[in-house]
Amino acid sequence: MGVLKRFEQRLEGLVNGTFAKVFKSEVQPVEIAGALQRECDNNATIWNRERTVVPNDFIVQLSAPDFERLSPYAGQLGDELAGMVREYAKQQRYTFMGSVKVGLERADDLDTGLYRVRSRTLASSTSQHQSPQGAPPPGQAPGAPGGYGYPPQRPAGPPPMPAGPPPGHAPGAPMPPAQTRRWIEINGTRHQISRPTMVLGRSTETDVRIDDPGVSRRHCEIRSGNPSTIQDLGSTNGIVVDGQHTTRATLRDGSRIVVGSTTIIYRQAEG
């Protein structure tokens, strides 16, 4: 069973108690949990063969209505989310420099249903001095490397050793190329991404037609690669990727894309 599914089941066991009102929010806790996983993946820093460090201090920014609904349960929800991050890190063999903390914060620039995740890496010796609002520790300027939205600084010393070849791979032999399958899911229908680009929109001339009045004729374009990305094509209503309005974003397996009133799930898998 996956980490997100176990997290969701733990919360469902609390629905009749503290978390009864949480599930009435436009933002669902499992969506936030998925965003925290992606935040770890996007900010993972390889220090050596045995150690890949990820952020341990997270702030989830919510719209005013969502913050009002969730803030009374911020402590317990933060503990559950922190536990999920620790479980995911163990599965991915990530490590932390300090204790894992997840807090909620109001952001007046976000619309209902949207959220933003910010993260940073705090060593154990400084995490105790963090302010409740997530201010940088003494001596660190806001926005400096190591602050929210920045990967951890690499320690001084020689560069990390490159990872060795996989078991059974002869030294000097070329590495076999990894085959990645990519597709999107719209209303239960799967559309394979078999070309470098895939254009989505309301026009019949696009690669994938979306019958939605809120979607422009040529709304956006998915570009397959490592990593894959999505680009807005000057649409009227824009795109929302993993809860954030954007014009361009990196896609991960499970990324949620909203165009008009249509939700698109991006998927990829090896083999």
Side-chain angles (χ1 to χ4, degrees), residues 230 232 238-241 244-249:
I230 186 169
D232 182 76
I239 58 176
V240 177
V241 180
Q244 298 187 41
H245 275 292
T246 184
T247 56
R248 185 180 185 278

Side-chain angles (χ1 to χ4, degrees), residues 118 120 134-137 139-148 150:
R118 304 175 68 191
R120 62 177 176 177
Q140 178 177 298
Y148 287 114
Y150 289 83

Side-chain angles (χ1 to χ4, degrees), residues 192-230:
Q192 295 290 340
I193 303 175
S194 56
R195 296 190 294 178
T197 61
M198 172 187 277
V199 177
L200 295 82
R202 195 159 42 87
S203 170
T204 56
E205 298 177 358
T206 56
D207 298 310
V208 177
R209 182 174 182 269
I210 301 176
D211 188 13
D212 181 333
V215 173
S216 298
R217 291 179 57 80
R218 287 174 54 87
H219 198 103
C220 58
E221 178 181 71
I222 293 177
R223 301 173 182 175
S224 60
N226 188 20
S228 294
T229 59
I230 186 169

Side-chain angles (χ1 to χ4, degrees), residues 18-168:
T18 303
F19 282 88
K21 294 183 180 180
V22 167
F23 287 91
K24 296 178 182 178
S25 171
E26 292 292 334
V27 174
Q28 296 297 319
V30 71
E31 292 183 84
I32 297 174
L36 292 173
Q37 288 188 4
R38 290 188 292 273
E39 189 73 8
C40 287
D41 294 336
N42 293 342
N43 292 284
T45 300
I46 300 174
W47 284 12
N48 53 48
R49 279 187 178 182
E50 289 75 33
R51 195 176 191 195
T52 298
V53 176
V54 293
N56 61 302
D57 192 77
F58 301 87
I59 292 293
V60 180
Q61 296 183 317
L62 302 166
S63 67
D66 285 319
F67 180 77
E68 292 301 321
R69 294 187 185 99
L70 293 173
S71 58
Y73 318 101
Q76 192 171 357
L77 180 57
D79 290 343
E80 290 289 341
L81 289 167
M84 183 282 305
V85 171
R86 287 191 293 268
E87 185 178 354
Y88 181 69
K90 182 178 180 180
Q91 180 188 81
Q92 301 298 317
R93 297 184 179 180
Y94 293 151
T95 59
F96 304 107
M97 292 188 66
S99 59
V100 180
K101 295 182 179 180
V102 180
L104 304 183
E105 184 179 273
R106 173 173 170 161
D108 292 328
D109 63 319
L110 293 177
D111 294 330
T112 302
L114 301 182
Y115 57 89
R116 181 187 302 124
V117 175
R118 304 175 68 191
S119 65
R120 62 177 176 177
T121 298
L122 285 181
S124 298
S125 59
T126 59
S127 60
Q128 296 176 353
H129 302 292
Q130 180 196 4
S131 72
Q133 290 75 27
Q140 178 177 298
Y148 287 114
Y150 289 83
Q153 291 181 295
R154 197 184 301 275
M161 294 292 293

